[in-house]
């Protein structure tokens, strides 16, 4: 059986505590992928110390040289694309097509960040004084912690590790314990690309213990977190007294607004893809469809028909459209929310149960589920479910649609379906989300375009694109006086 180990200061290490846990395929729970050697607090501490010791020399390495190593990592990811995609499918459950899509995104992001190494530019600023000028330099923080979830186990770590390294930080990477295989492969790729020991360290361990030790370590100067709002806000509060920089990408409750003039077939297909694709386990998944009354009956009957047409199964079967929930706990959460929806009075119009059938016996499969006549006060309209569950909320007009769409503590993504130019731009102005899509699903994004949310979804600088290095750098301002004389008068 494969053993997954932490990688600290250039070496793969067994757990000093001897504690382990199992990595299990969510589509076949009898398939034990391997054993995880769980890092204790002590090992988490040594990972931070290794990163701290490696920092000085990595910071002094010219940015384009750092970028060349990161570019090599992108090439190695390309070479090992199928292996990485198969690993995602086996331990996370998404289909191979979705896993390959994730890899493409990850490779694009790493390539983009490598290029940024030649663009770590500052500004030159004219001074108020003669024979003086000022300029800015971008500098790294030191040790950065990358704390990541299981749902995009390659792309999310890649879009934190690559910019952190390019900027000159050293990294302690703490992935979710559900996806150690991809974390090990990604760490291998970055280190094979030529990183010196200690520059990137992997800690496989629980959030409450290894994760907590990392975030509490005084040498950790910045934390980039993706995961639940509960954990993200807790971390933020926990490190605030130390003045640690935090970037957090947290929950979502992403709405589509379906206006009466839209192309209904397009709205239905995009909503179905957004709600049920990747088993609803995307931070940008569509979970609310806010539909104008006039077209609601048609929308609901078509989305129910489409939801029933998805084929559930193991992600490595080419006929599968939707894989399982990632583990028993997530599966139970989804079924619990379906019960809550029923109890709160929403109308279950399709799905709502554990999926049964050939090949589904040993996996955490839930039927694609649609609730109609959901109201905004219901828990299924407010809380993130992270499963293939869509809530349809019927509204009378555009203004009510916007009020409902914005009645959420979250603000990651959204979309509107309309062919009316005025409604489109009113929607763009009024919607309270960090990203929005016009006539396309709430999901998806490109490597060179900033990604992130507002309200309780996002904290700190946006990830990726033109803003990808913002979180990972500090600005140093330099004043140069080349008069060679004592300054006359006071400058403020
Ligand atoms: P998800 O359920 O989406 O994985 P979580 O917020 O539970 O979301 O976890 C996201 C990441 O945060 C995981 O890597 C997890 O191990 C880590 N984590 C959880 N609790 C803590 C904590 N107290 N300190 C540091 N990291 C944590």
């Amino acid at each position: 059986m494969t053993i997954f180990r932490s990688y600290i200061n250039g070496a793969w290490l067994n757990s000093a505590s001897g504690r382990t846990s199992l990595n299990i395929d969510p589509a076949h729970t009898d398939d034990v992928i391997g054993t995880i050697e769980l890092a204790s607090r002590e090992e988490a501490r040594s990972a931070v110390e290794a990163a701290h010791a490696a920092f000085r020399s990595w910071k002094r390495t010219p940015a384009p040289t750092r970028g060349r190593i990161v570019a090599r990592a992108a090439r190695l990811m390309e070479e090992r694309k199928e292996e990485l995609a198969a690993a995602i499918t086996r331990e996370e459950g998404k289909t191979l097509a979705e896993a390959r899509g994730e890899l493409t995104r990850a490779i694009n992001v790493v390539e983009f960040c490598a290029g940024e190494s030649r663009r770590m530019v500052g500004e030159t600023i004219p001074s108020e004084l003669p024979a003086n000028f000022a300029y800015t330099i971008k500098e790294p923080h030191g040790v950065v912690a990358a704390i990541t979830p299981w749902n995009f186990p390659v792309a999310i770590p890649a879009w934190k590790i690559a910019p952190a390294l390019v900027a000159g930080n050293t990294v302690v990477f703490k992935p979710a314990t559900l996806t150690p295989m991809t974390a090990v492969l990604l760490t291998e790729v970055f280190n094979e690309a030529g990183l010196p020991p200690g520059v990137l360290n992997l800690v496989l361990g629980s959030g409450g213990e290894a994760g907590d030790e990392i975030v509490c370590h005084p040498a950790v100067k910045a934390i980039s977190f993706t995961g639940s709002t509960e954990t993200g806000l807790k971390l933020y509060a926990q490190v605030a007294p130390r003045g640690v920089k935090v970037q957090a990408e947290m929950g979502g409750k992403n709405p589509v607004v379906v206006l009466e003039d839209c192309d209904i077939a397009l709205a239905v297909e995009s909503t179905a893809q957004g709600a049920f694709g990747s088993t609803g386990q995307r931070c940008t998944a569509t979970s609310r469809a806010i539909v104008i009354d006039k077209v609601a009956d048609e929308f609901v009957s078509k989305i129910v028909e489409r939801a029933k047409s998805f084929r559930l199964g193991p992600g490595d079967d080419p006929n599968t459209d939707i894989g399982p929930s990632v583990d028993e706990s997530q599966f139970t959460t989804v079924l619990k929310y379906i019960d809550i929806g029923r109890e709160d009075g929403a109308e279950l119009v399709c799905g709502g149960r554990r999926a049964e059938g050939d090949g589904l016996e040993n996996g955490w499969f839930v039927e694609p589920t649609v609730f109609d006549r959901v109201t905004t006060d219901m828990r299924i309209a407010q809380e993130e479910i992270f499963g293939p569950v869509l809530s349809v909320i019927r509204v009378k007009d555009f203004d009510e649609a916007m009020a409902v769409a914005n009645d959420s503590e979250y603000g990651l993504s959204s979309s509107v379906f309309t062919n009316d130019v005025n409604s489109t731009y009113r929607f763009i102005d009024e919607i309270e989300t960090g990203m929005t899509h016009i006539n396309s699903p709430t999901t998806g994004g490109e490597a060179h375009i900033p990604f992130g949310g507002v309200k309780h979804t996002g904290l700190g600088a946006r990830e990726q694109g033109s803003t990808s290095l913002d979180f990972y750098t500090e600005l140093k301002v330099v004043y140069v006086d080349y008069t060679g004389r004592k300054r006359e008068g006071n400058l403020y």
Side-chain angles (χ1 to χ4, degrees), residues 147-150 174-177 205-208 211-212 215 225-228 231 234-235 238:
I147 300 187
T148 59
W150 45 263
K174 213 302 281 165
T177 39
S206 75
D212 183 69
V215 302
F225 169 87
T226 301
S228 62
T231 306
K234 201 182 108 203
L235 289 186
Q238 199 176 358

Side-chain angles (χ1 to χ4, degrees), residues 289-323:
I290 299 160
V291 188
I292 300 287
D293 271 329
K294 240 188 215 163
V295 289
D297 286 343
E298 183 186 358
F299 179 87
V300 170
S301 77
K302 287 187 170 154
I303 200 132
V304 165
E305 196 184 319
R306 182 68 182 100
K308 287 181 177 162
S309 72
F310 282 100
R311 292 161 303 184
L312 275 71
D316 59 359
D317 177 343
N319 293 317
T320 295
D321 299 315
I322 300 180

Side-chain angles (χ1 to χ4, degrees), residues 115-276:
E116 287 296 273
S117 68
R118 292 182 183 271
R119 284 186 292 269
M120 276 189 56
V121 293
E123 294 178 280
T124 55
I125 307 155
S127 168
E128 293 176 4
L129 301 172
N132 272 257
F133 80 104
Y135 66 99
T136 62
I137 310 172
K138 285 181 183 160
E139 295 195 328
H141 299 293
V143 180
V144 170
I147 300 187
T148 59
W150 45 263
N151 65 328
F152 282 88
V154 172
I156 293 176
W159 79 49
K160 296 184 189 302
I161 293 169
L165 294 177
V166 161
N169 301 282
T170 54
V171 178
V172 177
F173 167 30
K174 213 302 281 165
T177 39
L178 288 174
T179 49
M181 180 159 56
T182 40
V184 164
L185 291 173
L186 191 66
T187 304
E188 266 176 32
V189 157
F190 269 97
N191 284 298
E192 275 167 28
L195 292 177
V199 172
L200 170 63
N201 305 276
L202 167 69
V203 175
L204 297 180
S206 75
E209 194 178 334
D212 183 69
E213 187 67 29
I214 294 166
V215 302
C216 292
H217 197 294
V220 171
K221 302 296 183 209
I223 301 169
S224 182
F225 169 87
T226 301
S228 62
T229 299
E230 191 192 348
T231 306
L233 294 180
K234 201 182 108 203
L235 289 186
Y236 188 42
Q238 199 176 358
V239 301
R242 281 193 355 254
V244 173
K245 308 276 182 293
V246 175
Q247 170 185 64
E249 207 46 67
M250 303 173 282
K253 195 69 196 168
N254 311 298
V256 300
V257 167
V258 179
L259 298 180
E260 60 200 83
D261 70 287
C262 78
D263 175 342
I264 288 282
L266 176 67
V268 166
E269 184 55 30
S270 303
T271 304
Q273 292 296 343
F276 308 125

Side-chain angles (χ1 to χ4, degrees), residues 207-481:
E209 194 178 334
D212 183 69
E213 187 67 29
I214 294 166
V215 302
C216 292
H217 197 294
V220 171
K221 302 296 183 209
I223 301 169
S224 182
F225 169 87
T226 301
S228 62
T229 299
E230 191 192 348
T231 306
L233 294 180
K234 201 182 108 203
L235 289 186
Y236 188 42
Q238 199 176 358
V239 301
R242 281 193 355 254
V244 173
K245 308 276 182 293
V246 175
Q247 170 185 64
E249 207 46 67
M250 303 173 282
K253 195 69 196 168
N254 311 298
V256 300
V257 167
V258 179
L259 298 180
E260 60 200 83
D261 70 287
C262 78
D263 175 342
I264 288 282
L266 176 67
V268 166
E269 184 55 30
S270 303
T271 304
Q273 292 296 343
F276 308 125
S278 294
T279 324
Q281 298 181 139
R282 291 189 277 216
C283 2
T284 54
T286 308
S287 58
R288 297 180 293 151
I290 299 160
V291 188
I292 300 287
D293 271 329
K294 240 188 215 163
V295 289
D297 286 343
E298 183 186 358
F299 179 87
V300 170
S301 77
K302 287 187 170 154
I303 200 132
V304 165
E305 196 184 319
R306 182 68 182 100
K308 287 181 177 162
S309 72
F310 282 100
R311 292 161 303 184
L312 275 71
D316 59 359
D317 177 343
N319 293 317
T320 295
D321 299 315
I322 300 180
S325 290
V326 72
D327 70 348
E328 182 173 10
S329 154
Q330 193 59 41
F331 168 83
T332 310
T333 301
V334 175
L335 292 180
K336 181 193 84 183
Y337 272 108
I338 292 171
D339 284 344
I340 290 171
R342 278 203 197 94
E343 281 158 22
D344 283 354
E347 195 180 308
L348 181 71
V349 285
C350 95
R353 287 175 313 176
R354 178 177 200 150
E356 283 164 6
D358 259 7
L360 304 182
E361 303 82 0
N362 291 321
W364 306 117
F365 295 96
V366 180
E367 292 176 345
T369 298
V370 180
F371 279 104
D372 191 8
R373 300 185 190 278
V374 175
T375 53
T376 49
D377 53 331
M378 292 181 186
R379 286 180 64 190
I380 56 168
Q382 292 295 338
E383 296 173 24
E384 186 174 50
I385 301 173
F386 232 58
V389 181
L390 178 72
S391 294
V392 177
I393 305 173
R394 296 175 177 233
V395 291
K396 62 177 188 307
D397 56 19
F398 180 88
D399 288 334
E400 190 185 354
M402 293 315 298
V404 168
N406 289 333
D407 181 9
S408 171
E409 65 173 294
Y410 298 118
L412 185 59
S413 186
S414 57
S415 50
V416 65
F417 289 87
T418 178
N419 287 314
D420 179 67
V421 71
N422 298 335
S423 307
T424 304
Y425 281 97
R426 275 190 66 198
F427 180 87
I428 295 167
D429 283 349
E430 292 177 30
I431 191 69
E432 296 168 0
T433 58
M435 301 176 287
T436 194
H437 299 256
I438 313 305
N439 289 323
S440 54
T442 54
T443 53
E446 297 183 31
H448 57 293
I449 299 178
F451 178 98
V454 297
K455 296 162 112 176
H456 274 176
T457 293
L459 273 178
R462 291 287 192 273
E463 304 195 69
Q464 301 177 66
S466 55
T467 52
S468 58
L469 294 193
D470 290 358
F471 177 71
Y472 297 99
T473 51
E474 287 286 9
L475 211 59
K476 180 178 277 173
V477 179
V478 184
Y479 288 91
V480 181
D481 181 329

